[in-house]
Amino acid sequence: SWISFQVYVRPLIRRLMGFADVLPVVEPAVCDEGFDSPVGKQQFVRAVLRIEPDGTRHATPFGVQGSHVMGALAHAQALVVVPPDQGRVERGSTVSVVDLSRS
């Protein structure tokens, strides 16, 4: 529910409040661990975000990703955005992330 609120409801509320920039900031990052994702469903995978001195972002997915797992959500610094047609994210690949500290 929290992720759905951040991705869909919060932008609507911000638009109704008159803000011009309402969508979450999405930036590229290197994925430090590979993982599978169900095909046909866009996923927002909780991750820890690390920024190297050269500015390169690294996202490390962690914990169980179920909607009932609140502990993992409490420690999430970013959400890795996995498109619905992508069934696997490989380690070292470039992914899109929502930096929760900037949203």
Side-chain angles (χ1 to χ4, degrees):
S1 297
W2 183 84
I3 292 173
S4 294
F5 177 84
Q6 293 297 323
V7 173
Y8 303 111
V9 178
R10 188 169 187 249
L12 174 64
I13 292 171
R14 290 179 56 80
R15 173 72 67 195
L16 294 171
M17 292 175 66
F19 289 98
D21 296 325
V22 298
L23 297 176
V25 176
V26 179
E27 300 174 309
V30 175
C31 192
D32 288 338
E33 290 183 14
F35 61 92
D36 293 319
S37 181
V39 175
K41 183 177 178 185
Q42 184 167 16
Q43 295 289 297
F44 296 90
V45 176
R46 298 166 195 93
V48 173
L49 189 62
R50 183 179 86 251
I51 303 174
E52 295 293 330
D54 67 359
T56 305
R57 296 175 176 278
H58 288 261
T60 305
F62 70 93
V64 177
Q65 295 293 324
S67 61
H68 64 288
V69 183
M70 297 304 289
L73 182 59
H75 297 289
Q77 298 168 325
L79 300 174
V80 176
V81 182
V82 184
D85 61 345
Q86 187 173 354
R88 173 97 185 137
V89 174
E90 297 296 337
R91 180 178 190 238
S93 64
T94 300
V95 294
S96 296
V97 296
V98 175
D99 182 342
L100 296 173
S101 70
R102 296 186 58 197
S103 294

